[in-house]
Amino acid sequence: MIEVKQSKLSNGEFNRGVFATVDIPKGQLIHQAPVVPYPNEDHEHVEKTIIEDYVFEYGANHTAILLGYGSLINHSYEPNATYDINFENHTFDFYAYKDIKAGEEVLINYNGEEDNMDPLWFLDDYEERMRELNETSDGEEDADDIESGSQNTDSNK
């Protein structure tokens, strides 16, 4: 249903994102990502590593590393996916927020709420870059254009 491929939204070392391999209807469960939680007071150690860009809040007292594809899903203020934290199963459950076509990148709003427009730490020209990508009719761009114009969604995705 999903796979990891190169993303035009990221210009980190790996440029990764999660993409639909089939059409996914709105509301369908896309992925359940198991979590490895740790107490918030331990986050000072994680902040010194690349892992800091890949963790999620997990309740009031914990942060979580998501296993599976969860930490590789890129951000958008116009997401096509959403997630619920399932504390009982210790998973982040990702669902289609809108219909997602095969080949389309799966995107969530990193602020947690789909319509939350609060700025994120890595955004400078992200929204401008999204407009440029949406205006590209054939979806193909020169690799130099991508590297020079895109903004990281996570530093090494």
Side-chain angles (χ1 to χ4, degrees):
M1 177 182 308
I2 56 175
E3 66 181 347
V4 175
K5 296 188 339 184
Q6 185 174 7
S7 172
K8 292 180 180 181
L9 299 181
S10 175
N11 67 359
E13 182 179 352
F14 301 114
N15 301 323
R16 295 177 292 185
V18 175
F19 292 79
T21 59
V22 297
D23 290 347
I24 304 171
K26 178 180 178 178
Q28 182 170 337
L29 178 66
I30 298 171
H31 180 60
Q32 289 184 295
V35 302
V36 178
Y38 59 88
N40 288 341
E41 57 267 14
D42 290 347
H43 192 68
E44 67 183 84
H45 305 292
V46 173
E47 288 175 338
K48 299 174 186 173
T49 73
I50 191 65
I51 299 297
E52 178 186 26
D53 287 339
Y54 295 88
V55 299
F56 286 73
E57 291 180 12
Y58 189 62
N61 300 314
H62 289 84
T63 303
I65 298 170
L66 275 59
L67 304 177
Y69 296 124
S71 290
L72 298 177
I73 298 174
N74 284 315
H75 166 79
S76 175
Y77 285 120
E78 297 178 16
N80 57 14
T82 189
Y83 62 90
D84 289 326
I85 302 173
N86 186 329
F87 291 103
E88 185 176 321
N89 290 333
H90 301 290
T91 59
F92 274 58
D93 299 343
F94 293 88
Y95 296 90
Y97 182 63
K98 302 176 180 177
D99 290 341
I100 303 172
K101 299 286 184 200
E104 189 176 345
E105 186 165 359
V106 176
L107 302 166
I108 61 172
N109 186 329
Y110 285 180
N111 286 317
E113 298 294 324
E114 297 78 26
D115 59 353
N116 185 324
M117 301 299 281
D118 290 346
L120 297 171
W121 74 99
F122 58 82
L123 295 180
D124 288 332
D125 66 349
Y126 178 81
E127 291 307 313
E128 178 181 331
R129 180 67 178 144
M130 285 296 296
R131 281 191 294 279
E132 289 173 11
L133 286 172
N134 288 333
E135 290 171 5
T136 304
S137 61
D138 62 3
E140 294 181 17
E141 288 189 274
D142 185 50
D144 292 335
D145 292 338
I146 294 168
E147 291 212 3
S148 65
S150 68
Q151 179 66 30
N152 283 351
T153 53
D154 277 334
S155 59
N156 283 308
K157 282 190 178 172

